[in-house]
Amino acid sequence: MTLEEEITELKRQRNAVILAHNYTRPEIQDIADFVGDSLELSRKAAECRAPVIVFCGVRFMAETAKILSPESTVLHPNPSSGCPMADMADPREVEEYREKHPGTLVVAYVNTTAATKTAVDLCCTSGNAEKLIASLPPEQKILFLPDANLGSNLNIKLNRHMDLWPGYCPTHNRIMPEHILAAKEKHPGALVLVHPECLPAVVRLADQALSTGGMLKYVRESAHRAFIIGTEYGILHRMQKENPDKTFYPLEPAVVCPNMKKITLEDVLFCLRDMAPEIELPEDVRRAAKAPIDRMLEALP
Ligand code: 13P
Ligand code: SF4
């Protein structure tokens, strides 16, 4: 039996569902039941009601699945797959900020740990942040965490003055305006799509700044034939598979999130075999972390 066949057999025995983020390795995306962005994966975790969820993505995403689907056993195939940006906001520092700034609404990008989510008012993802922030009264003071690039891009687009936490994604922060300019020169006529975790100077040069799910929808519906993709390289697998008649150019050097790449087929096989490593959260933490996610899902069902 191949590894894929062994996984399929174990998945059937365990009655498990495999969820994978758009940045995971191609072979992981190919064995997944559902591939998506953070928002789509959160929704899927909430509604799938599977006894076992194998979550192929970084840890905060698997935690979100557990928060929304407490009855399921949520397996995270490689526990060392974390998001450095999520670790840049600490709940104690958030509480300290709140004490100093009463009346400020704390909005957290979903790229935060479950512990940090317990200290915030509202969550958002890159797929809904613009709509969510735009729906808040203009006079409302807001702290946006942990991604200062996403926060700056929202401030610019929506003419807001949110306070920004000094966090960043080490992968997207490496994309420089000159990389976009070089790609444009090499591929004239191709549309430039970037992730809003990129620096504002990079977003300014792009045709669109979209979540990974937003990019996939955009290229599917666009009449354009060629695109320069300014986000993690893994997304090109699905883009090319779903749009065989279109051309996608990655930036050079390739943009890679090492943590997303840590999850291998062997990890998936072993976690289904051993039913470990499992995401476990104390019930009080899970409930408190769920509140800002629920507010997000209620605001934008
Ligand atoms: P998406 O929600 O757009 O998939 O983004 C998640 C992420 O971690 C981007 O770096
Ligand atoms: Fe975190 Fe950046 Fe990797 Fe996304 S690409 S999971 S934000 S480190």
Side-chain angles (χ1 to χ4, degrees), residues 23 58 60 83-85 111 169-172 197 257 260:
Y23 293 160
V58 291
F60 80 81
C83 169
M85 175 161 71
N111 294 39
C169 161
T171 298
H172 286 92
E197 286 176 14
C257 172
M260 284 285 186

Side-chain angles (χ1 to χ4, degrees), residues 21-23 36-41 58 60-61 83 85 109-111 125-127 147 169 171-172 195-197 210-215 231-232 235 257 260:
H21 188 266
N22 290 319
Y23 293 160
D37 69 10
S38 313
L39 181 60
E40 293 161 343
L41 292 169
V58 291
F60 80 81
M61 296 181 178
C83 169
M85 175 161 71
Y109 189 26
V110 74
N111 294 39
T125 73
S126 56
D147 188 2
C169 161
T171 298
H172 286 92
H195 198 277
E197 286 176 14
L210 297 162
S211 70
T212 60
M215 281 188 201
T231 191
E232 214 278 347
I235 197 174
C257 172
M260 284 285 186

Side-chain angles (χ1 to χ4, degrees), residues 23-32 233-234 237 241 261:
Y23 293 160
T24 51
R25 291 167 182 262
E27 62 274 24
I28 296 289
Q29 297 188 31
D30 289 344
I31 49 125
Y233 185 82
H237 174 66
K241 203 166 144 182
K261 300 296 183 261

Side-chain angles (χ1 to χ4, degrees), residues 22-23 172 175 179-180 183-184 187 190-195 198 202 206-208 210-212 214-216 218-219 225-237 239-240 243 246-256:
N22 290 319
Y23 293 160
H172 286 92
I175 303 177
H179 299 138
I180 305 285
K184 277 184 168 185
H187 311 293
L191 282 188
V192 179
L193 311 186
V194 301
H195 198 277
C198 292
V202 167
D207 294 293
Q208 297 287 334
L210 297 162
S211 70
T212 60
M215 281 188 201
L216 284 151
Y218 188 88
V219 300
R225 319 298 306 162
F227 304 86
I228 294 162
I229 303 301
T231 191
E232 214 278 347
Y233 185 82
I235 197 174
L236 275 94
H237 174 66
M239 271 182 180
Q240 200 62 78
N243 305 276
K246 297 186 179 178
T247 309
F248 303 100
Y249 303 108
L251 290 181
E252 288 171 35
V255 183
V256 178

